[in-house]
């Protein structure tokens, strides 16, 4: 628009003559651009129509002022845009750097602290669970062994009680003998054999019953002294059996006490193991939650880094395009300003009524 106004005004006011030796050079300079060629054509038309030169000079000067103001405004706006661009680039680069630091620090914390801690806690839980399982195996084994020991105790006591009853039978039989017959003697000897059968060979009573059988095998049962010796031996044997029963019963009672104490100890250990597992599970849950939180934070910061990088690339590309526009516009303004200044100089100094293009 300014070019059209300039051309119109020049066409109206272009009446002065140009000195002949400068005309060729000025014409050549103006003819280098389409803007200058159009100016020369209109100047030629105006030179035919005639008009005040000062009016053309004022218009060109006003146009030059407008171009200079627009050029200054262009420079000012571009400087503001450049400052905004530089500030945004610094901000985005700082954001990117902060995001990279957060990602690296978070990953370092995960790799060197939280992941090893989680593995350590899990190993501890697995170990304690193993101890707990061993504890229950020991408990079940102790119960089984105690049951077997108690069954053995009952069998041994029953065996000794049977032996005591057989001894009582033998004593009663001996008490009835005055002039024993062969049948009675055989019956007594069979009673001793029955006792021997009820006493296991590993019992400490076994040697005593064998000695009694040997004693009674070749004795004269009509001899009262012999009978007395046999009765005394049987009473000693019976007392020994009763003592053994008492010893076994006392030992069984102590074994029960020891067994119950051992089971209680195992239960205490099992409860302690469970407390350790519970505490470790709480730690594991908290650690997993912390890991999840930090992984989420790391991923978010990685996404932020990607977003900031994309924004920075877009900003650089946009600024490069705006710089090209600024440069082209500035060059156009500068070129038009130069042409206008040439035209102004031409109008002021030359009689151009005979300009031909």
């Amino acid at each position: 628009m300014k070019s059209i106004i300039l051309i119109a005004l020049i066409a109206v006011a272009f009446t002065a003559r140009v000195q002949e030796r400068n005309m060729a050079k000025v014409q050549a300079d103006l003819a280098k651009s389409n803007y200058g060629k159009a100016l020369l054509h209109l100047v030629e038309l105006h030179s035919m129509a005639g008009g005040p030169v000062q009016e053309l000079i004022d218009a060109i000067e006003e146009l030059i002022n407008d171009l200079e103001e627009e050029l200054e405004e262009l420079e000012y706006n571009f400087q503001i845009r450049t400052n905004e661009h530089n500030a945004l680039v610094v901000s985005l680069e700082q954001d990117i750097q902060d995001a990279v630091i957060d990602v690296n620090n978070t990953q370092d914390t995960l790799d060197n602290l939280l992941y090893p801690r989680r593995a350590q806690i899990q190993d501890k839980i697995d170990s304690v669970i193993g101890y707990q399982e061993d504890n229950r195996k020991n408990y079940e084994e102790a119960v089984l062994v105690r049951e077997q020991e108690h069954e053995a105790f009952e069998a041994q006591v029953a065996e000794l009680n049977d032996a005591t009853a057989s001894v009582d039978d033998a004593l009663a039989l001996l008490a009835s003998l005055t002039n024993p017959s062969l049948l009675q003697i055989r019956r007594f000897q069979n009673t001793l054999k029955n006792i021997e059968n009820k006493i296991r060979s590993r019992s400490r009573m076994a040697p005593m019953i064998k000695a009694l059988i040997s004693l009674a095998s070749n004795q004269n049962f009509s001899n009262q002294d012999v009978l007395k010796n046999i009765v005394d031996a049987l009473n000693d044997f019976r007392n020994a059996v009763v003592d053994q029963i008492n010893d076994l019963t006392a030992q069984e009672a102590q074994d029960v006490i020891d067994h119950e104490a051992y089971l209680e100890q195992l239960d205490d250990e099992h409860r302690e193991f469970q407390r350790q597992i519970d505490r470790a599970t709480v730690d594991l849950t908290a650690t997993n939650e912390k890991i999840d939180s930090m992984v989420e934070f790391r991923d978010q910061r990685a996404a932020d880094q990607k977003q900031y990088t994309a924004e920075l690339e877009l900003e650089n590309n946009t600024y490069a395009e705006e710089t090209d526009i600024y440069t082209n516009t500035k060059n156009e303004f500068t070129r038009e300003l130069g042409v206008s200044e040439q035209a102004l100089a031409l109008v002021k100094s030359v009689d151009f009524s005979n300009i031909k293009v």
Side-chain angles (χ1 to χ4, degrees):
M1 178 61 71
K2 293 182 176 62
S3 300
I4 294 174
I5 294 173
L6 175 60
I7 293 171
L9 291 173
I10 292 176
V12 172
F14 211 103
T15 57
R17 294 178 58 194
V18 181
Q19 294 181 359
E20 195 169 328
R21 61 190 179 91
N22 293 330
M23 178 63 72
K25 184 177 183 305
V26 172
Q27 273 188 278
D29 290 341
L30 292 175
K32 290 179 181 179
S33 65
N34 292 331
Y35 177 77
K37 288 179 181 180
L39 176 63
L40 289 175
H41 279 294
L42 291 176
V43 166
E44 180 182 4
L45 293 175
H46 181 69
S47 66
M48 294 184 212
V53 175
Q54 187 57 46
E55 187 175 308
L56 180 60
I57 291 174
D58 292 342
I60 293 174
E61 288 178 345
E62 182 178 355
L63 180 59
I64 290 173
N65 289 335
D66 289 344
L67 287 171
E68 288 176 344
E69 288 178 0
E70 289 189 3
L71 188 59
E72 288 178 0
E73 184 178 0
L74 177 68
E75 291 283 1
Y76 176 77
N77 290 336
F78 185 71
Q79 185 59 51
I80 291 177
R81 177 67 181 92
T82 298
N83 292 339
E84 291 175 349
H85 167 74
N86 291 336
L88 183 56
V89 167
V90 170
S91 176
L92 287 172
E93 288 178 344
Q94 184 62 52
D95 289 340
I96 291 171
Q97 182 179 357
D98 291 343
V100 169
I101 291 173
D102 286 343
V103 169
N104 292 337
N105 288 344
T106 302
Q107 190 62 50
D108 181 69
T109 301
L110 288 169
D111 292 338
N112 297 314
L113 180 62
L114 293 179
Y115 287 154
R117 174 172 175 76
R118 178 171 66 181
Q120 182 182 22
I121 295 173
Q122 188 61 59
D123 289 344
K124 179 179 180 181
I125 291 175
D126 293 341
S127 296
V128 178
I129 288 176
Y131 299 152
Q132 199 174 48
E133 290 174 351
D134 292 340
N135 175 278
R136 290 300 88 183
K137 289 179 182 178
N138 291 337
Y139 188 98
E140 293 171 359
E141 182 180 350
V143 170
L144 178 61
V145 170
R146 179 86 280 275
E147 289 175 353
Q148 293 172 343
E149 290 176 347
H150 182 68
E151 290 175 358
F153 160 75
E154 289 183 334
Q156 193 170 5
V157 169
E159 174 186 289
L160 293 175
N161 283 331
D162 287 345
T164 302
S166 296
V167 170
D168 290 340
D169 290 343
L171 288 173
L173 181 59
L174 286 176
S176 67
L177 294 179
T178 54
N179 187 19
S181 66
L182 181 61
L183 179 61
Q184 289 176 319
I185 294 173
R186 289 293 183 188
R187 182 182 175 187
F188 174 73
Q189 290 174 340
N190 288 335
T191 300
L192 294 181
K193 283 288 185 181
N194 187 41
I195 296 173
E196 181 183 27
N197 291 334
K198 292 178 180 179
I199 298 295
R200 297 177 182 178
S201 60
R202 65 175 179 274
S203 173
R204 68 183 184 180
M205 298 293 102
M208 295 182 65
I209 192 60
K210 287 183 179 296
L212 278 171
I213 292 173
S214 177
L215 177 64
S217 62
N218 295 311
Q219 295 297 327
N220 183 1
F221 284 85
S222 61
N223 189 324
Q224 292 300 313
D225 291 335
V226 171
L227 286 177
K228 183 178 183 305
N229 289 336
I230 293 175
V231 169
D232 291 342
L234 283 173
N235 283 325
D236 290 341
F237 174 76
R238 187 184 189 285
N239 292 335
V241 171
V242 172
D243 289 343
Q244 185 176 7
I245 291 173
N246 292 336
D247 291 343
L248 289 174
T249 302
Q251 184 62 49
E252 174 67 10
Q254 185 61 49
D255 290 344
V256 169
I257 293 173
D258 294 343
H259 171 70
E260 291 177 351
Y262 180 58
L263 293 184
E264 182 61 28
Q265 177 187 342
L266 290 175
D267 284 338
D268 289 342
E269 291 176 356
H270 186 271
R271 285 188 289 269
E272 176 57 29
F273 290 148
Q274 189 59 51
R275 283 192 290 269
Q276 293 179 17
I277 291 173
D278 292 341
R279 288 195 297 267
T281 300
V282 171
D283 290 344
L284 182 62
T285 300
T287 301
N288 282 330
E289 290 175 352
K290 183 64 175 178
I291 287 174
D292 292 342
S293 174
M294 296 203 73
V295 167
E296 181 180 359
F297 175 73
R298 178 202 63 192
D299 293 345
Q300 179 60 53
R301 295 302 285 153
D304 292 343
Q305 177 190 349
K306 185 177 180 180
Q307 177 64 30
Y308 296 145
T309 301
E311 291 179 7
L312 179 60
E313 182 178 359
L314 177 62
E315 170 61 20
N316 286 332
N317 292 337
T318 301
Y319 181 73
E321 293 175 358
E322 292 177 354
T323 299
D324 289 341
I325 294 173
Y326 157 77
T327 301
N328 293 334
T329 303
K330 179 180 179 181
N331 290 338
E332 181 64 20
F333 281 172
T334 301
R335 184 185 65 78
E336 290 185 2
L337 185 61
V339 171
S340 299
E341 289 174 347
Q342 281 184 314
L344 179 62
L346 180 65
V347 170
K348 285 183 176 181
S349 62
V350 182
D351 180 5
F352 50 89
S353 59
N354 295 321
I355 288 179
K356 302 292 181 181
V357 180

